[in-house]
Amino acid sequence: MTRMRMKRHIPERMEKCHERWFDDPAENKGKWREVCGMPPDAPLYLELGCGKGKFCNQTAEDNPDALYVAVERDKSVILAAIEKAHNNELPNLFFINCDVNNIEDMFEADEVDRIYINFCDPWNRRNKPKRRLTYRDFLAKYKNLLKKGGQIRFKTDNDDLYDFSLEEFRFCGFELSEITRDLHNSEYDKDNVRTEFEQKFADEGIPIKRAVATLC
Ligand SMILES: C[S@@+](CC[C@H](N)C(=O)[O-])C[C@H]1O[C@@H](n2cnc3c(N)ncnc32)[C@H](O)[C@@H]1O
C-alpha cells in the first residue's frame, strides 16, 4: 500500500477504532477514570509522543489495573498505536490525537499519577530548546497535572537532550532518581519495556539514558 493510499484511508480506519479515542477529549477533563470505565482509585498514566504505540500497548497489557492515555500529534502515527490497542482488545488504553502543548486542556490538576516521555524529538539545544518536551515550560504544565509524589519517567538516546533534561527537571524542583546512562546494562532494565525507537537505537549500539523525576 502506498503512503498516499494509507493516508487517504485514515478517517475510515480511525472510525473503526472509535472506542479508543474521543471527538472532544477535553470533555473528559477531571473524569478520565469514570469515562474510561476504570475504578476511581486506578492510577492514571500518560505517555507523551507515543509514536506507533509499542510501549503503551505492552505496558497497558502488563498493568491491567492502571489507566493509560497516550498522546501523539501525528494522526497517521497514532493510528498505528490505536489499531494495536483495538486488535489487542485492551480495556485500559485510550488515545488523544493532539499537541502536548494543549495537555492542560485535557487533564485536571492532580489527575495524573505518572508521565512517560520516551525518546522525544531532540531538537537543537541552540535553536529549538523550547520545543523539547522536557523544556521548563512543558514541565510547568506537567506539574499542574501531576499528583504530589507523581513521576515523569524519561528515556532518550541523546546525550545533549539528556543533560539538558536533567537540568530542566532540577530547575523545576523535581527530585531525580534512577539516573543511568546505560539503562540496558543497569539494575533498572529488569522491568524496562522497550519502545520502537529504543529498540532501533539499541540495535545501533547506542546506550539508552534514563531518569525518574518525582514531584515533591
Ligand atoms: C522520536 S518519536 C518517538 C516515538 C516513541 N515514543 C518511541 O520511543 O518509539 C517522537 C514522537 O513524538 C511525537 N511528538 C513530538 N512532539 C510532539 C508534541 N508536541 N505533541 C505530541 N506529539 C509529539 C512525534 O510525532 C513522534 O511520533
Side-chain angles (χ1 to χ4, degrees), residues 128-181:
K128 307 271 195 254
K130 294 182 176 180
R131 295 194 190 178
R132 291 175 158 176
L133 293 187
T134 51
Y135 180 62
R136 61 193 63 185
D137 288 6
F138 280 109
L139 297 185
K141 292 178 196 239
Y142 311 153
K143 277 174 91 166
N144 288 335
L145 320 175
L146 277 172
K147 288 179 181 160
K148 197 164 187 293
Q151 291 182 339
I152 301 174
R153 296 191 174 188
F154 172 64
K155 293 193 278 189
T156 184
D157 60 299
N158 185 290
D159 284 304
D160 181 53
L161 173 64
Y162 187 63
D163 293 338
F164 169 91
S165 301
L166 296 189
E167 285 168 23
E168 294 298 285
F169 286 132
R170 287 192 184 103
F171 177 85
C172 292
F174 286 90
E175 193 171 281
L176 290 174
S177 61
E178 301 186 28
I179 294 175
T180 174
R181 289 179 184 269

Side-chain angles (χ1 to χ4, degrees), residues 47-55 71-74 77-78 96 98-101 117-123 131 133 138 155 194-199 201:
E47 189 191 3
L48 305 181
C50 70
K52 293 183 178 169
K54 177 178 182 284
F55 177 86
V71 178
E72 168 60 53
R73 69 178 171 195
D74 184 321
V77 172
I78 199 173
I96 303 176
C98 81
D99 196 294
V100 172
N101 267 303
I117 302 176
N118 295 321
F119 302 88
C120 60
D121 297 326
W123 296 106
R131 295 194 190 178
L133 293 187
F138 280 109
K155 293 193 278 189
R194 294 189 184 193
T195 77
E196 275 106 354
F197 274 69
E198 182 169 357
Q199 191 56 58
F201 292 128

